[in-house]
Coordinates of all heavy atoms in Angstrom, one line a residue:
M1206 N 153.8 80.7 179.0 CA 155.2 81.2 178.8 C 156.2 80.3 179.6 O 157.3 80.1 179.1 CB 155.2 82.6 179.2 CG 156.5 83.3 178.9 SD 156.7 83.3 177.1 CE 158.0 84.5 176.9
K1207 N 155.8 80.0 180.8 CA 156.7 79.1 181.7 C 156.9 77.8 181.0 O 158.0 77.2 181.1 CB 156.1 78.9 183.1 CG 156.2 80.2 183.9 CD 155.6 79.9 185.3 CE 155.7 81.1 186.1 NZ 155.1 80.9 187.5
F1208 N 155.8 77.2 180.4 CA 156.0 75.9 179.7 C 157.0 76.0 178.6 O 157.8 75.1 178.4 CB 154.6 75.5 179.2 CG 154.7 74.2 178.4 CD1 154.9 73.0 179.1 CD2 154.6 74.2 177.0 CE1 155.0 71.8 178.3 CE2 154.7 73.0 176.3 CZ 154.9 71.8 177.0
L1209 N 156.9 77.1 177.8 CA 157.9 77.3 176.7 C 159.3 77.4 177.2 O 160.2 76.9 176.6 CB 157.5 78.5 175.9 CG 158.3 78.8 174.6 CD1 158.2 77.6 173.7 CD2 157.8 80.1 174.0
A1210 N 159.5 78.1 178.3 CA 160.8 78.3 178.9 C 161.4 76.9 179.4 O 162.5 76.6 179.2 CB 160.8 79.3 180.0
A1211 N 160.5 76.1 180.0 CA 160.9 74.8 180.5 C 161.2 73.9 179.3 O 162.2 73.1 179.4 CB 159.8 74.2 181.4
L1212 N 160.5 73.9 178.3 CA 160.7 73.1 177.1 C 162.0 73.5 176.4 O 162.8 72.6 176.1 CB 159.5 73.3 176.1 CG 159.6 72.4 174.9 CD1 159.5 70.9 175.3 CD2 158.5 72.7 174.0
L1213 N 162.3 74.7 176.3 CA 163.5 75.2 175.8 C 164.7 74.8 176.6 O 165.8 74.3 176.1 CB 163.5 76.8 175.6 CG 164.7 77.4 175.0 CD1 165.0 76.8 173.5 CD2 164.6 78.9 174.9
A1214 N 164.6 74.9 177.9 CA 165.7 74.5 178.8 C 166.0 73.0 178.7 O 167.1 72.5 178.6 CB 165.4 74.8 180.3
C1215 N 164.9 72.2 178.6 CA 165.1 70.7 178.4 C 165.8 70.4 177.0 O 166.6 69.5 176.9 CB 163.8 70.0 178.5 SG 163.1 69.9 180.2
A1216 N 165.4 71.1 176.0 CA 165.9 70.9 174.7 C 167.4 71.2 174.6 O 168.2 70.6 173.9 CB 165.2 71.7 173.7
V1217 N 167.9 72.2 175.5 CA 169.3 72.6 175.5 C 170.1 71.6 176.4 O 171.2 71.2 176.0 CB 169.4 74.0 176.0 CG1 170.9 74.4 176.3 CG2 168.8 75.0 175.0
L1218 N 169.6 71.2 177.5 CA 170.3 70.4 178.5 C 170.3 68.9 178.1 O 171.3 68.3 178.4 CB 169.7 70.6 179.9 CG 169.9 72.0 180.5 CD1 169.2 72.0 181.8 CD2 171.3 72.3 180.6
L1219 N 169.3 68.4 177.5 CA 169.2 67.0 177.2 C 170.4 66.5 176.2 O 171.0 65.6 176.5 CB 167.9 66.6 176.6 CG 167.6 65.1 176.4 CD1 167.7 64.4 177.7 CD2 166.3 64.9 175.8
P1220 N 170.7 67.2 175.1 CA 171.8 66.8 174.3 C 173.1 66.9 175.0 O 174.0 66.1 174.7 CB 171.7 67.7 173.0 CG 170.3 68.2 173.0 CD 169.9 68.2 174.4
A1221 N 173.3 67.9 175.8 CA 174.5 68.1 176.5 C 174.8 66.9 177.5 O 175.9 66.4 177.6 CB 174.6 69.4 177.3
S1222 N 173.8 66.5 178.2 CA 173.9 65.4 179.1 C 174.1 64.0 178.4 O 174.9 63.2 178.9 CB 172.7 65.2 180.1 OG 171.6 64.9 179.3
A1223 N 173.6 63.9 177.2 CA 173.8 62.6 176.4 C 175.2 62.6 175.9 O 175.8 61.5 175.9 CB 172.8 62.6 175.3
A1224 N 175.8 63.7 175.6 CA 177.2 63.7 175.1 C 178.2 63.4 176.2 O 179.2 62.8 176.0 CB 177.5 65.1 174.5
L1225 N 177.8 63.8 177.4 CA 178.7 63.6 178.6 C 178.7 62.1 178.9 O 179.7 61.6 179.4 CB 178.3 64.4 179.8 CG 178.5 65.9 179.7 CD1 177.9 66.6 180.8 CD2 180.0 66.2 179.5
A1226 N 177.6 61.4 178.7 CA 177.5 60.0 179.0 C 178.0 59.0 177.9 O 177.8 57.9 178.0 CB 176.1 59.7 179.4
D1227 N 178.6 59.6 176.9 CA 179.0 58.8 175.7 C 180.2 57.9 176.1 O 181.2 58.3 176.7 CB 179.4 59.7 174.6 CG 179.8 59.0 173.3 OD1 179.3 57.9 173.2 OD2 180.6 59.6 172.5
S1228 N 180.0 56.6 175.9 CA 181.1 55.6 176.2 C 181.2 54.6 175.1 O 180.2 54.4 174.4 CB 180.9 55.0 177.6 OG 179.7 54.1 177.5
R1229 N 182.3 54.0 175.0 CA 182.6 53.0 173.9 C 183.6 52.0 174.4 O 184.5 52.3 175.1 CB 183.1 53.8 172.7 CG 183.3 52.8 171.5 CD 183.6 53.6 170.3 NE 184.0 52.7 169.2 CZ 184.5 53.0 168.1 NH1 184.7 54.3 167.8 NH2 184.7 52.1 167.1
V1230 N 183.4 50.8 174.0 CA 184.3 49.7 174.3 C 185.2 49.4 173.1 O 184.6 49.1 172.0 CB 183.5 48.4 174.8 CG1 184.5 47.3 175.1 CG2 182.7 48.7 176.0
F1231 N 186.5 49.4 173.3 CA 187.4 49.1 172.2 C 188.0 47.7 172.5 O 188.4 47.4 173.6 CB 188.5 50.1 172.2 CG 188.1 51.5 171.7 CD1 187.7 52.4 172.7 CD2 188.0 51.8 170.4 CE1 187.3 53.7 172.3 CE2 187.6 53.1 170.0 CZ 187.2 54.0 171.0
I1232 N 188.1 46.8 171.5 CA 188.7 45.5 171.7 C 190.1 45.6 171.0 O 190.2 46.0 169.8 CB 187.9 44.4 171.0 CG1 186.5 44.4 171.5 CG2 188.6 43.1 171.2 CD1 186.3 44.0 173.0
V1233 N 191.1 45.4 171.8 CA 192.5 45.6 171.3 C 193.3 44.2 171.5 O 193.1 43.5 172.5 CB 193.2 46.6 172.2 CG1 194.6 46.9 171.7 CG2 192.4 47.9 172.2
A1234 N 194.0 43.8 170.5 CA 194.9 42.6 170.6 C 195.9 42.8 171.6 O 196.6 43.9 171.7 CB 195.5 42.3 169.2
N1235 N 196.0 41.9 172.5 CA 197.0 41.9 173.6 C 198.3 41.4 173.1 O 198.6 40.2 173.2 CB 196.5 41.1 174.8 CG 197.4 41.2 176.0 OD1 198.2 42.2 176.1 ND2 197.3 40.3 176.9
Q1236 N 199.2 42.2 172.5 CA 200.4 41.9 172.0 C 201.5 42.0 173.0 O 201.8 43.2 173.4 CB 200.7 42.7 170.7 CG 199.6 42.8 169.8 CD 199.7 42.1 168.6 OE1 200.8 41.8 168.2 NE2 198.6 41.7 167.9
P1237 N 202.2 41.0 173.4 CA 203.3 41.1 174.3 C 204.5 41.9 173.7 O 205.0 41.6 172.7 CB 203.7 39.7 174.6 CG 203.0 38.8 173.7 CD 202.0 39.6 173.0
D1238 N 204.8 43.0 174.4 CA 205.8 43.9 173.8 C 207.1 43.9 174.7 O 208.0 44.7 174.5 CB 205.3 45.3 173.7 CG 204.7 45.9 175.0 OD1 204.9 45.3 176.0 OD2 204.2 47.0 174.9
G1239 N 207.1 43.2 175.8 CA 208.3 43.1 176.7 C 208.2 44.2 177.8 O 209.1 44.2 178.7
Y1240 N 207.3 45.1 177.8 CA 207.2 46.1 178.8 C 206.3 45.8 179.9 O 206.3 46.5 180.9 CB 206.8 47.5 178.2 CG 207.9 48.0 177.2 CD1 207.7 48.0 175.9 CD2 209.0 48.7 177.8 CE1 208.7 48.5 175.0 CE2 210.0 49.2 176.9 CZ 209.8 49.1 175.6 OH 210.8 49.6 174.7
G1241 N 205.5 44.8 179.8 CA 204.5 44.4 180.8 C 203.2 45.1 180.8 O 202.4 44.8 181.7
I1242 N 203.0 46.1 180.0 CA 201.8 46.9 179.9 C 200.7 46.0 179.5 O 199.6 46.0 180.1 CB 201.9 48.1 179.0 CG1 202.9 49.1 179.5 CG2 200.6 48.7 178.8 CD1 203.3 50.2 178.6
D1243 N 200.9 45.1 178.6 CA 199.8 44.2 178.1 C 199.4 43.3 179.3 O 198.2 43.1 179.4 CB 200.3 43.3 177.0 CG 200.7 44.1 175.8 OD1 200.0 45.1 175.5 OD2 201.8 43.9 175.2
R1244 N 200.3 42.8 180.0 CA 199.9 41.9 181.2 C 199.1 42.7 182.2 O 198.2 42.2 182.7 CB 201.2 41.4 181.8 CG 201.1 40.2 182.6 CD 202.4 39.6 183.0 NE 203.4 39.8 182.0 CZ 204.6 40.3 182.3 NH1 205.0 40.6 183.5 NH2 205.5 40.5 181.3
C1245 N 199.4 44.0 182.4 CA 198.7 44.8 183.4 C 197.3 45.0 182.9 O 196.3 45.0 183.6 CB 199.4 46.1 183.6 SG 201.0 46.0 184.4
L1246 N 197.1 45.3 181.6 CA 195.8 45.5 181.0 C 195.0 44.3 181.1 O 193.8 44.3 181.5 CB 195.9 46.0 179.5 CG 196.3 47.4 179.3 CD1 196.6 47.7 177.8 CD2 195.2 48.4 179.8
A1247 N 195.6 43.1 180.7 CA 194.8 41.9 180.6 C 194.4 41.4 182.0 O 193.3 40.8 182.1 CB 195.6 40.8 179.9
K1248 N 195.1 41.7 183.0 CA 194.8 41.3 184.4 C 194.1 42.4 185.2 O 193.8 42.2 186.4 CB 196.0 40.8 185.1 CG 196.6 39.6 184.5 CD 197.8 39.1 185.3 CE 198.4 37.9 184.7 NZ 199.6 37.4 185.4
S1249 N 193.7 43.5 184.5 CA 193.0 44.6 185.1 C 193.8 45.2 186.4 O 193.2 45.6 187.3 CB 191.6 44.3 185.6 OG 190.8 44.0 184.4
E1250 N 195.1 45.1 186.3 CA 195.9 45.6 187.4 C 196.0 47.1 187.3 O 195.9 47.7 186.2 CB 197.3 44.9 187.4 CG 197.2 43.4 187.7 CD 198.6 42.8 187.6 OE1 199.6 43.5 187.3 OE2 198.6 41.5 187.8
S1251 N 196.4 47.8 188.4 CA 196.5 49.2 188.4 C 197.6 49.8 187.5 O 197.5 50.9 187.0 CB 196.7 49.8 189.8 OG 197.9 49.2 190.4
C1252 N 198.6 48.9 187.2 CA 199.7 49.4 186.4 C 199.2 49.6 184.9 O 199.9 50.3 184.1 CB 200.9 48.5 186.4 SG 200.5 46.7 186.0
G1253 N 198.1 49.1 184.5 CA 197.5 49.2 183.2 C 196.7 50.4 183.0 O 196.3 50.8 181.9
A1254 N 196.4 51.1 184.1 CA 195.5 52.3 184.1 C 196.1 53.4 183.2 O 195.3 54.1 182.4 CB 195.3 52.9 185.5
H1255 N 197.4 53.7 183.2 CA 198.0 54.7 182.4 C 197.9 54.3 180.9 O 197.6 55.2 180.1 CB 199.4 55.0 182.8 CG 199.5 55.5 184.2 ND1 199.1 56.7 184.5 CD2 200.0 54.9 185.3 CE1 199.4 57.0 185.8 NE2 199.9 55.8 186.3
A1256 N 198.1 53.1 180.6 CA 198.0 52.6 179.2 C 196.6 52.8 178.7 O 196.3 53.2 177.6 CB 198.5 51.2 179.1
A1257 N 195.6 52.4 179.5 CA 194.2 52.5 179.1 C 193.8 53.9 178.9 O 193.1 54.3 178.0 CB 193.3 51.8 180.1
L1258 N 194.2 54.8 179.9 CA 193.9 56.2 179.8 C 194.5 56.8 178.5 O 193.9 57.5 177.8 CB 194.4 57.0 181.0 CG 194.2 58.5 181.0 CD1 192.8 58.8 180.9 CD2 194.9 59.1 182.2
A1259 N 195.8 56.5 178.2 CA 196.4 57.0 177.0 C 195.7 56.5 175.7 O 195.5 57.3 174.8 CB 197.9 56.6 177.0
Y1260 N 195.3 55.3 175.8 CA 194.5 54.7 174.6 C 193.2 55.5 174.4 O 192.9 55.9 173.3 CB 194.2 53.2 174.8 CG 193.6 52.6 173.6 CD1 194.5 52.0 172.7 CD2 192.3 52.5 173.4 CE1 193.9 51.3 171.6 CE2 191.7 51.9 172.3 CZ 192.6 51.3 171.4 OH 192.0 50.7 170.3
C1261 N 192.5 55.8 175.5 CA 191.2 56.5 175.4 C 191.5 58.0 174.9 O 190.7 58.5 174.1 CB 190.5 56.5 176.7 SG 189.9 54.9 177.2
Q1262 N 192.5 58.6 175.5 CA 192.7 60.0 175.2 C 193.2 60.1 173.7 O 192.9 61.1 173.1 CB 193.7 60.6 176.1 CG 193.2 60.8 177.5 CD 194.2 61.3 178.5 OE1 195.4 61.2 178.3 NE2 193.7 61.9 179.6
A1263 N 193.9 59.1 173.2 CA 194.3 59.1 171.8 C 193.1 59.1 170.8 O 193.2 59.4 169.7 CB 195.2 58.0 171.5
R1264 N 191.9 58.7 171.4 CA 190.7 58.6 170.6 C 189.7 59.6 171.0 O 188.5 59.4 170.9 CB 190.1 57.1 170.7 CG 190.9 56.2 169.8 CD 191.0 54.8 170.4 NE 191.9 54.0 169.5 CZ 193.3 54.0 169.6 NH1 193.8 54.8 170.5 NH2 194.0 53.3 168.8
D1265 N 190.1 60.7 171.6 CA 189.3 61.8 172.0 C 188.3 61.5 173.1 O 187.2 62.0 173.1 CB 188.6 62.4 170.8 CG 189.6 63.0 169.8 OD1 190.6 63.6 170.3 OD2 189.3 63.0 168.6
F1266 N 188.6 60.6 174.0 CA 187.8 60.3 175.2 C 188.5 60.8 176.4 O 189.7 60.9 176.4 CB 187.5 58.8 175.3 CG 186.5 58.2 174.3 CD1 186.9 57.9 173.1 CD2 185.2 58.1 174.7 CE1 186.0 57.4 172.2 CE2 184.2 57.6 173.8 CZ 184.6 57.3 172.5
A1267 N 187.8 61.2 177.4 CA 188.4 61.8 178.6 C 189.0 60.8 179.6 O 190.0 61.1 180.2 CB 187.4 62.7 179.3
Q1268 N 188.4 59.6 179.7 CA 188.9 58.7 180.7 C 188.6 57.3 180.3 O 187.8 57.0 179.5 CB 188.2 59.0 182.0 CG 186.7 58.8 182.0 CD 186.0 59.2 183.3 OE1 186.7 59.3 184.3 NE2 184.7 59.4 183.3
A1269 N 189.4 56.4 181.0 CA 189.2 55.0 180.8 C 188.4 54.5 182.0 O 188.9 54.6 183.2 CB 190.6 54.2 180.7
V1270 N 187.2 54.0 181.8 CA 186.4 53.5 182.9 C 186.8 52.2 183.4 O 186.7 51.9 184.5 CB 184.9 53.6 182.4 CG1 184.0 53.1 183.5 CG2 184.5 55.0 182.0
A1271 N 187.1 51.3 182.4 CA 187.4 49.9 182.8 C 188.3 49.3 181.7 O 188.3 49.7 180.5 CB 186.2 49.1 182.9
Y1272 N 189.0 48.3 182.0 CA 189.9 47.5 181.1 C 190.0 46.1 181.7 O 190.1 45.9 182.9 CB 191.2 48.1 180.8 CG 192.0 48.5 182.1 CD1 192.9 47.6 182.6 CD2 191.8 49.7 182.7 CE1 193.7 47.9 183.7 CE2 192.5 50.0 183.9 CZ 193.4 49.1 184.4 OH 194.1 49.4 185.5
R1273 N 189.9 45.1 180.8 CA 190.0 43.7 181.2 C 190.3 42.8 180.0 O 190.2 43.2 178.9 CB 188.7 43.3 181.9 CG 187.5 43.2 180.9 CD 186.3 42.7 181.6 NE 185.2 42.7 180.6 CZ 184.9 41.6 179.8 NH1 185.6 40.5 179.9 NH2 183.9 41.7 179.0
R1274 N 190.7 41.6 180.3 CA 191.0 40.6 179.3 C 189.6 40.1 178.8 O 188.7 39.9 179.6 CB 191.8 39.4 179.9 CG 192.1 38.4 178.9 CD 192.8 37.2 179.6 NE 193.0 36.1 178.7 CZ 192.1 35.2 178.4 NH1 190.9 35.3 179.0 NH2 192.3 34.3 177.6
V1275 N 189.6 39.8 177.5 CA 188.4 39.3 176.9 C 188.7 38.0 176.2 O 189.7 37.9 175.5 CB 187.8 40.3 175.8 CG1 186.6 39.8 175.1 CG2 187.6 41.6 176.4
D1276 N 187.8 37.0 176.4 CA 188.0 35.7 175.8 C 187.6 35.9 174.3 O 186.6 36.6 174.0 CB 187.1 34.7 176.4 CG 187.6 34.2 177.8 OD1 188.9 34.2 177.9 OD2 186.8 33.9 178.6
P1277 N 188.3 35.3 173.4 CA 187.8 35.3 172.0 C 186.4 34.9 171.7 O 185.7 35.4 170.8 CB 188.8 34.4 171.2 CG 190.0 34.4 172.1 CD 189.5 34.5 173.5
D1278 N 185.9 34.0 172.6 CA 184.5 33.6 172.5 C 183.5 34.7 172.8 O 182.3 34.7 172.4 CB 184.2 32.4 173.4 CG 184.9 31.2 173.0 OD1 185.3 31.0 171.8 OD2 185.2 30.3 173.9
E1279 N 183.9 35.7 173.5 CA 183.1 36.9 173.9 C 182.9 37.8 172.7 O 182.0 38.6 172.6 CB 183.6 37.6 175.0 CG 183.6 36.9 176.4 CD 184.1 37.8 177.4 OE1 183.5 38.9 177.7 OE2 185.1 37.4 178.0
I1280 N 183.8 37.7 171.7 CA 183.8 38.6 170.6 C 183.1 37.8 169.5 O 183.6 37.0 168.9 CB 185.2 39.0 170.1 CG1 186.0 39.5 171.3 CG2 185.2 40.0 169.0 CD1 187.5 39.7 171.1
T1281 N 181.9 38.2 169.2 CA 181.0 37.4 168.3 C 181.5 37.4 166.9 O 181.2 38.4 166.2 CB 179.5 37.9 168.4 OG1 179.5 39.2 168.1 CG2 179.0 37.6 169.8
G1282 N 182.1 36.4 166.5 CA 182.5 36.3 165.1 C 183.6 37.2 164.5 O 183.9 37.1 163.4
A1283 N 184.1 38.1 165.3 CA 185.0 39.1 164.8 C 186.4 38.5 164.8 O 187.3 39.0 164.1 CB 185.0 40.3 165.7
V1284 N 186.7 37.5 165.6 CA 188.0 36.9 165.7 C 188.0 35.5 165.2 O 187.3 34.6 165.7 CB 188.5 36.9 167.2 CG1 189.9 36.3 167.2 CG2 188.5 38.3 167.7
P1285 N 188.7 35.2 164.0 CA 188.7 33.9 163.5 C 189.5 33.0 164.4 O 190.5 33.3 165.0 CB 189.4 34.1 162.1 CG 190.3 35.3 162.3 CD 189.5 36.2 163.3
K1286 N 189.0 31.8 164.6 CA 189.7 30.8 165.4 C 190.8 30.1 164.6 O 190.6 29.7 163.4 CB 188.7 29.8 165.9 CG 187.7 30.4 166.8 CD 187.0 29.3 167.6 CE 186.0 30.0 168.5 NZ 186.0 29.6 169.8
T1287 N 191.9 29.9 165.2 CA 193.0 29.2 164.5 C 192.8 27.7 164.7 O 192.7 27.2 165.8 CB 194.4 29.6 165.2 OG1 194.4 31.1 165.2 CG2 195.5 29.1 164.4
V1288 N 192.8 27.0 163.6 CA 192.5 25.6 163.5 C 193.8 24.9 163.8 O 194.8 25.2 163.1 CB 191.9 25.2 162.2 CG1 191.6 23.7 162.2 CG2 190.6 25.9 162.0
G1289 N 193.8 23.9 164.7 CA 194.9 23.0 164.9 C 196.0 23.6 165.8 O 197.0 23.0 165.9
M1290 N 195.8 24.8 166.3 CA 196.9 25.4 167.2 C 196.4 25.2 168.6 O 195.3 25.4 168.9 CB 197.1 26.9 166.8 CG 197.5 27.0 165.4 SD 198.9 28.0 165.0 CE 199.9 28.2 166.3
S1291 N 197.4 25.0 169.4 CA 197.1 24.8 170.9 C 197.5 26.1 171.6 O 198.5 26.7 171.4 CB 198.0 23.7 171.4 OG 197.9 23.7 172.8
C1292 N 196.6 26.5 172.5 CA 196.8 27.7 173.3 C 198.0 27.6 174.2 O 198.7 28.5 174.5 CB 195.6 28.1 174.1 SG 194.2 28.7 173.1
A1293 N 198.3 26.3 174.6 CA 199.4 26.1 175.5 C 200.8 26.3 174.8 O 201.7 26.7 175.4 CB 199.4 24.6 176.0
R1294 N 200.8 26.2 173.5 CA 202.0 26.5 172.7 C 202.0 28.0 172.2 O 202.8 28.3 171.2 CB 202.1 25.5 171.6 CG 202.5 24.2 172.0 CD 202.7 23.3 170.8 NE 201.5 22.4 170.7 CZ 201.1 22.0 169.5 NH1 201.7 22.3 168.4 NH2 200.0 21.2 169.5
G1295 N 201.2 28.8 172.7 CA 201.2 30.2 172.2 C 200.4 30.5 171.0 O 200.6 31.5 170.3
G1296 N 199.5 29.6 170.6 CA 198.8 29.7 169.3 C 197.6 30.6 169.5 O 196.9 30.9 168.4
C1297 N 197.2 31.0 170.6 CA 196.0 31.8 170.8 C 196.3 33.2 171.2 O 197.1 33.4 172.1 CB 195.1 31.2 171.9 SG 194.5 29.5 171.5
E1298 N 195.7 34.1 170.6 CA 195.9 35.5 170.9 C 195.0 35.9 172.0 O 193.9 35.4 172.1 CB 195.6 36.4 169.7 CG 196.7 36.5 168.7 CD 196.5 37.6 167.7 OE1 196.5 38.8 168.2 OE2 196.4 37.3 166.5
E1299 N 195.4 36.8 172.9 CA 194.5 37.4 173.9 C 194.1 38.8 173.5 O 194.8 39.5 172.7 CB 195.3 37.5 175.2 CG 195.6 36.1 175.8 CD 196.2 36.2 177.2 OE1 196.6 37.3 177.6 OE2 196.3 35.2 177.9
Y1300 N 192.9 39.2 174.0 CA 192.4 40.5 173.7 C 192.0 41.2 174.9 O 191.7 40.6 176.0 CB 191.1 40.3 172.8 CG 191.5 39.7 171.4 CD1 191.5 38.4 171.2 CD2 191.9 40.6 170.4 CE1 191.9 37.8 170.0 CE2 192.2 40.0 169.1 CZ 192.2 38.7 169.0 OH 192.6 38.1 167.8
V1301 N 192.0 42.5 174.9 CA 191.7 43.4 176.0 C 190.6 44.3 175.6 O 190.6 44.9 174.5 CB 193.0 44.3 176.4 CG1 192.6 45.2 177.5 CG2 194.1 43.3 176.9
A1302 N 189.6 44.5 176.5 CA 188.5 45.4 176.2 C 188.8 46.7 177.1 O 189.0 46.5 178.3 CB 187.2 44.8 176.6
I1303 N 188.8 47.8 176.5 CA 189.0 49.1 177.2 C 187.7 49.9 177.0 O 187.3 50.2 175.9 CB 190.2 49.8 176.6 CG1 191.5 49.0 176.8 CG2 190.4 51.2 177.4 CD1 192.7 49.6 176.1
T1304 N 187.1 50.3 178.1 CA 185.9 51.1 178.0 C 186.3 52.5 178.3 O 186.8 52.9 179.3 CB 184.8 50.6 179.1 OG1 184.6 49.2 178.9 CG2 183.6 51.4 179.0
C1305 N 186.0 53.4 177.3 CA 186.4 54.8 177.4 C 185.1 55.6 177.5 O 184.0 55.2 177.0 CB 187.1 55.2 176.1 SG 188.6 54.3 175.8
Q1306 N 185.2 56.7 178.2 CA 184.0 57.6 178.4 C 184.4 59.1 178.2 O 185.5 59.5 178.5 CB 183.5 57.4 179.8 CG 182.2 58.0 180.0 CD 181.6 57.6 181.4 OE1 182.3 57.6 182.4 NE2 180.4 57.3 181.4
R1307 N 183.5 59.8 177.6 CA 183.8 61.2 177.3 C 183.5 62.0 178.6 O 182.9 61.8 179.4 CB 182.9 61.7 176.2 CG 183.3 61.1 174.9 CD 182.8 61.9 173.7 NE 182.8 61.1 172.5 CZ 183.8 61.0 171.7 NH1 184.9 61.7 172.0 NH2 183.8 60.3 170.6

């Protein structure tokens, strides 16, 4: 009987703990909007924490665990490379990775 009670307790608690540890990384284009939020997110500065938190909460996550700039090379094949454009002339887009957790 004790074994059955322990098994039932594990069956109830295991899915609940898995749901709490749910996290996801979102890749967002870093579009300069004049407010400086993009710069804060890309440089992982504390001023970007509110923007990252708002982004996560808008997607039903409780908190933003991390946010940082991502090189287009880190995103495997998802971002097409612009041929013939120089990053020095503003031809390269920047991306931000925001890690959200439930």
